């Protein structure tokens, strides 16, 4: 019989502003990860030699983030040398992919206990620092129909008829929901403060939430991607979507995800490990999915990935109690809600990356912990995390609450 992939715990750091002035800029990525590793085994006492693998996502794995941090952080944290580690990159879905891969390892029966998650310190290793032909080589750009993600988000808004005011209203609501979630302690089980060497708190809460955000204030922000569009990328979009006469550039810093620093870990194992260590499983991974999507618009993958995961589970969108659709851009969430006919009251109920930031390699794992905590708080059953992904992909993780 195929073993279930059980989630025993999920922890994360607060998200810091992903610029040199951010609160977590002074903290090395390996310290963020190792701190969570130490906390995870304190919360879930275990002989770390029993951990088969550590799987971590990171998008820009160079410099402070290079050299397979998954393995080195386990040594830094004082874990047994028998623990293996791998760092992977599925762009901004890397943290979700790490958890999904851990679930697959356990479901295969070849591994029993895996720690998975991700990290990204964008204040120390800026986005695109790792280079690569897809974004930086003009010949590859031309051959693959590349556009910057922000123009893809504007194209989604144009095709869907989402207005600037609707996007700004969604963004303001994200801040309001995140602030309310912190106030009522919704993140209290999973978010662990980052401490310095003397035990003093560096950051205890997500740094970028602005409770006073409103549509009137956001209306004064200039579109972020109009100039890029005028440099030729609007023409790339219109060549792929000739029905669009003009792209409405309506995304800006206030209705798009912010750069962030942070890390997250999820403890995944089988029933034998639950019995061995006396743990109570909190959830099981029901199904996962990845899809490719049209690469020019790039950001339309969440809905087809969710459909694929739902089909594998024998469920439909209306069976899902809570959704976490990553707020890469406001239009991405609005389109996914529309495609799947999801009640907005079930989506991102504690805010999202527009308010709290998007530490690329960590976000997917963070969202899995967030939806699990909220399922427990509401005593609901199913949660689904889905994300758009660079290069034209989508990813989904469907979990079922078991206790709490």
């Amino acid at each position: 019989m195929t073993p279930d992939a059980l989630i025993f715990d999920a922890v994360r750091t607060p998200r810091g502003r992903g610029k040199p002035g951010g609160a977590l800029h002074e903290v090395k990525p390996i310290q963020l990860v190792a701190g969570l590793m130490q906390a995870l085994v304190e919360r879930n006492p275990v002989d770390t030699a029993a951990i088969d693998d550590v799987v971590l996502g990171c998008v820009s794995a160079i410099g402070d983030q290079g050299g397979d941090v998954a393995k080195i952080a386990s040594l830094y944290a004082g874990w047994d040398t028998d623990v293996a580690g791998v760092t992977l990159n599925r762009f901004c879905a890397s943290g979700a992919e790490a958890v999904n891969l851990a679930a697959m390892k356990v479901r295969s029966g070849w591994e029993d206990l895996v720690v998975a998650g991700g990290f990204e310190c964008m204040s120390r290793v800026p986005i695109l620092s790792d280079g690569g032909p897809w974004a930086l080589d003009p010949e590859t750009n031309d051959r693959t129909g590349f556009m910057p993600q922000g123009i893809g988000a504007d194209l989604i808004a144009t095709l869907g008829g989402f207005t600037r005011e609707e996007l700004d209203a969604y963004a303001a609501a994200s801040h309001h929901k995140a602030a309310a979630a912190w106030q009522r302690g919704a993140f209290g089980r999973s978010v662990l403060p980052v401490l310095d060497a003397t035990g003093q708190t560096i950051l205890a809460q997500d740094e970028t939430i602005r409770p006073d955000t409103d549509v009137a204030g956001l209306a004064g922000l200039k579109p972020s991607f109009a100039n890029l569009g005028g440099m030729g990328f609007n023409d790339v979009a219109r060549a792929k979507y000739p029905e669009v006469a003009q792209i409405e550039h309506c995304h800006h810093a206030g209705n798009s995800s912010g750069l962030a620093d942070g890390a997250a870990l999820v403890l995944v194992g089988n029933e034998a490990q639950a019995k061995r260590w006396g743990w109570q499983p909190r959830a099981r991974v029901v199904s996962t999915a990845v899809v490719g999507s049209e690469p020019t618009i790039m950001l339309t993958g969440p809905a087809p990935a969710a459909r694929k995961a739902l089909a594998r589970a024998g469920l439909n969108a209306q069976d899902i109690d809570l959704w976490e659709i990553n707020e890469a851009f406001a239009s991405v969430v609005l389109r996914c809600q529309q495609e799947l006919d999801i009640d907005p009251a079930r989506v991102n109920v504690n805010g999202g990356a527009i308010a709290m930031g998007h530490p690329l390699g960590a976000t997917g794992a963070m969202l899995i912990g967030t939806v699990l905590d909220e399922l427990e708080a509401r005593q609901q059953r199913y949660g689904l995390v889905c994300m758009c992904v660079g290069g034209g992909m989508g990813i989904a993780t469907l979990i079922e609450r078991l206790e709490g």
Side-chain angles (χ1 to χ4, degrees):
M1 182 177 177
T2 302
D4 278 331
L6 304 173
I7 296 176
F8 298 110
D9 205 1
V11 294
R12 73 169 175 94
T13 68
R15 304 185 213 194
R17 190 181 305 276
K19 296 181 179 180
L24 295 182
H25 177 64
E26 66 183 273
V27 186
K28 294 182 292 187
I30 197 167
Q31 292 171 323
L32 282 184
V33 174
L36 290 182
M37 287 178 163
Q38 291 168 335
L40 193 66
V41 299
E42 288 172 5
R43 289 160 58 115
N44 307 276
V46 62
D47 177 356
T48 56
I51 298 170
D52 292 299
D53 203 2
V54 177
V55 184
L56 297 183
C58 178
V59 174
S60 299
I62 62 168
D64 279 347
Q65 299 184 158
D68 193 3
V69 168
K71 172 58 183 176
I72 308 308
S74 73
L75 298 175
Y76 192 97
W79 285 13
D80 195 281
T81 55
D82 284 352
V83 181
V86 62
T87 303
L88 59 82
N89 180 4
R90 194 187 286 280
F91 293 134
C92 45
S94 297
E97 175 67 13
V99 177
N100 290 0
L101 181 58
M104 295 174 202
K105 285 168 169 277
V106 171
R107 290 270 292 169
S108 75
W110 289 359
E111 293 183 6
D112 301 310
L113 189 61
V114 182
V115 172
F119 64 96
E120 204 84 33
C121 293
M122 302 178 77
S123 70
R124 299 174 68 97
V125 183
I127 190 170
L128 299 180
S129 292
D130 59 337
W134 179 64
L136 300 180
D137 173 35
E139 190 271 337
T140 302
N141 291 176
D142 181 64
R143 185 161 178 162
T144 60
F146 168 81
M147 285 196 316
Q149 287 190 358
I151 297 176
D154 287 342
L155 179 57
I156 287 172
T158 302
L159 289 167
F162 303 125
T163 66
R164 164 73 182 258
E165 186 175 20
E166 286 178 291
L167 301 180
D168 287 354
Y170 180 88
S174 180
H175 283 275
H176 301 161
K177 288 187 288 186
W182 269 108
Q183 188 171 21
R184 71 173 185 273
F187 301 121
R189 182 166 185 174
S190 293
V191 177
L192 306 179
V194 177
L195 309 178
D196 67 15
T198 69
Q200 297 298 305
T201 298
I202 297 173
L203 185 65
Q205 293 193 4
D206 297 313
E207 188 176 18
T208 60
I209 301 168
R210 300 187 304 277
D212 60 347
T213 301
D214 59 24
V215 173
L218 294 175
L221 298 177
K222 293 182 179 180
S224 296
F225 307 105
N227 288 341
L228 277 174
M231 293 168 60
F233 288 113
N234 283 351
D235 295 331
V236 174
R238 286 195 294 265
K240 182 70 73 170
Y241 296 88
E243 67 272 28
V244 176
Q246 178 177 324
I247 296 174
E248 300 296 330
H249 291 289
C250 44
H251 284 88
H252 50 78
N255 58 26
S256 309
S257 59
L259 308 180
D261 297 342
L265 296 178
V266 180
L267 182 61
V268 182
N270 57 27
E271 183 62 33
Q273 294 300 304
K275 294 177 179 176
R276 180 180 181 184
W277 305 109
W279 297 336
Q280 180 67 41
R282 296 175 61 191
R284 72 181 181 99
V285 179
V286 179
S287 63
T288 70
V290 290
V291 299
S293 62
E294 198 281 294
T296 297
I297 200 169
M298 197 185 309
L299 307 174
T300 57
R307 287 195 190 99
K308 190 174 181 180
L310 288 165
R312 285 183 171 153
L315 299 172
N316 59 55
Q318 283 62 50
D319 294 319
I320 302 303
D321 299 295
L322 292 173
W323 292 77
E324 288 289 333
I325 305 169
N326 187 42
E327 294 177 355
F329 301 90
S331 65
V332 171
V333 181
L334 296 181
R335 176 174 173 137
C336 187
Q337 287 180 174
Q338 185 180 78
E339 280 192 73
L340 298 177
D341 191 25
I342 306 169
D343 179 356
R346 298 185 179 194
V347 176
N348 300 354
V349 296
N350 292 325
I354 288 173
M356 293 178 280
H358 182 13
L360 302 178
T363 302
M366 289 181 169
L367 296 182
I368 292 168
T370 294
V371 80
L372 174 54
D373 286 346
E374 194 62 23
L375 286 172
E376 290 174 343
R378 298 179 181 219
Q379 294 290 289
Q380 292 178 319
R381 186 174 183 183
Y382 289 118
L384 196 150
V385 172
C386 56
M387 307 176 71
C388 60
V389 190
M393 293 184 282
I395 194 166
T397 309
L398 199 167
I399 69 169
E400 179 184 18
R401 178 185 66 85
L402 297 179
E403 64 89 18

